[in-house]
């Protein structure tokens, strides 16, 4: 059936005729079921099969999360346009898609917050060791700016016992963590 429908697709493209609604979706469903995975993906890459939103949505919900199906789902998600990928990834209950959704949500919240406060805090290019974890980037930027604004109380004093300061900081940390009594 897939090969017959594929010949019809080629003929209609050659004659510049329209296809009925849902034809590309049905052909893609048949392609996933009839073709080996690498062949199906080649057909998609060469534009012979289209990844329609109904097809991808159905694929994400119908297939289980076995290793082969996960690989197919990730391969298909990589080939989708960004706007469709965001819609479809919400339908797939998987830790990676959940992380992507969370990251996008946090990114929009932080961008909204930075517009209200200070847009310079979210400078992604400077000294960012974790470019994909936006909450940590934001916290790092806030701390960096506060550190630059704060004056160092020990700059003016030349005779500071550094060892004493370290010991007191360690002792206070141990007290806070409950390892030592005051």
């Amino acid at each position: 059936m897939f090969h017959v429908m594929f010949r019809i697709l080629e003929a209609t493209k050659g004659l510049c005729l329209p296809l009925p609604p849902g034809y590309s979706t049905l052909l893609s469903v048949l392609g996933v079921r009839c073709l080996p995975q690498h062949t199906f993906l080649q057909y998609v890459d060469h534009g012979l099969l289209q990844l329609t939103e109904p097809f991808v949505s159905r694929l994400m919900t119908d297939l289980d999360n076995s290793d082969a199906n996960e690989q197919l789902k990730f391969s298909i998600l990589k080939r989708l346009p960004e706007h469709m990928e965001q819609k479809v990834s919400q339908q797939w209950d998987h830790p990676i898609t959940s992380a992507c959704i969370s990251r996008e949500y946090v990114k929009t919240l932080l961008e909204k917050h930075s517009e209200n406060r200070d847009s310079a805090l979210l400078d992604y290019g400077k000294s960012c060791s974790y470019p994909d974890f936006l909450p940590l980037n934001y916290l790092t930027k806030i701390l960096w700016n506060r550190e630059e604004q704060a004056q160092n109380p020990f700059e003016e004093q030349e005779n500071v016992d550094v060892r004493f300061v370290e010991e007191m900081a360690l002792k206070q940390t141990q007290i806070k963590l409950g390892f030592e009594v005051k």
Side-chain angles (χ1 to χ4, degrees):
M1 185 66 166
F2 171 76
H3 294 292
V4 171
M5 288 185 70
F6 190 72
R7 297 287 179 194
I8 292 171
L9 175 70
E10 288 177 329
T12 56
K13 279 187 177 181
L15 297 171
C16 298
L17 296 173
L19 290 168
Y23 190 86
S24 297
T25 302
L26 179 61
L27 187 61
S28 296
V29 169
L30 288 174
V32 153
R33 293 186 178 171
C34 299
L35 297 173
Q37 182 176 342
H38 67 279
T39 307
F40 171 76
L41 294 174
Q42 283 182 348
Y43 275 46
V44 170
D45 290 340
H46 292 295
L48 302 173
L49 292 176
Q50 293 179 355
L51 297 175
T52 61
E53 191 171 336
F55 164 70
V56 178
S57 299
R58 184 174 169 190
L59 188 76
M60 294 297 163
T61 56
D62 289 351
L63 292 181
D64 62 349
N65 285 339
S66 66
D67 290 339
N69 289 342
E70 275 187 4
Q71 185 180 8
L72 176 64
K73 289 178 182 183
F74 282 124
S75 298
I76 289 175
L77 280 176
K78 286 192 301 187
R79 289 167 170 79
L80 291 176
E82 188 173 336
H83 69 281
M84 190 187 307
E85 179 184 352
Q86 289 176 353
K87 288 181 187 176
V88 171
S89 65
Q90 293 177 358
Q91 297 173 353
W92 183 23
D93 185 26
H94 191 273
I96 293 179
T97 56
S98 298
C100 291
I101 293 168
S102 303
R103 189 178 303 123
E104 285 298 317
Y105 178 72
V106 168
K107 181 179 177 184
T108 56
L109 282 179
L110 292 176
E111 286 174 349
K112 211 182 286 185
H113 181 67
S114 70
E115 289 172 1
N116 295 341
R117 296 223 25 229
D118 186 12
S119 62
L121 290 177
L122 276 178
D123 184 13
Y124 299 114
K126 277 187 170 177
S127 69
C128 178
S129 54
Y130 301 103
D132 289 337
F133 192 63
L134 296 176
L136 184 61
N137 289 351
Y138 185 69
L139 178 63
T140 305
K141 281 295 171 192
I142 289 174
L143 293 176
W144 181 281
N145 287 343
R146 293 252 171 104
E147 183 180 18
E148 287 178 351
Q149 292 171 356
Q151 293 179 351
N152 189 352
F154 301 116
E155 281 181 352
E156 297 172 0
Q157 301 174 5
E158 294 181 12
N159 299 333
V160 175
D161 187 4
V162 177
R163 181 78 178 146
F164 174 75
V165 173
E166 288 175 355
E167 286 177 10
M168 289 307 295
L170 181 61
K171 185 172 180 134
Q172 290 297 322
T173 304
Q174 288 176 341
I175 291 171
K176 289 256 187 207
L177 294 175
F179 293 127
E180 192 174 305
V181 183
K182 287 184 181 181

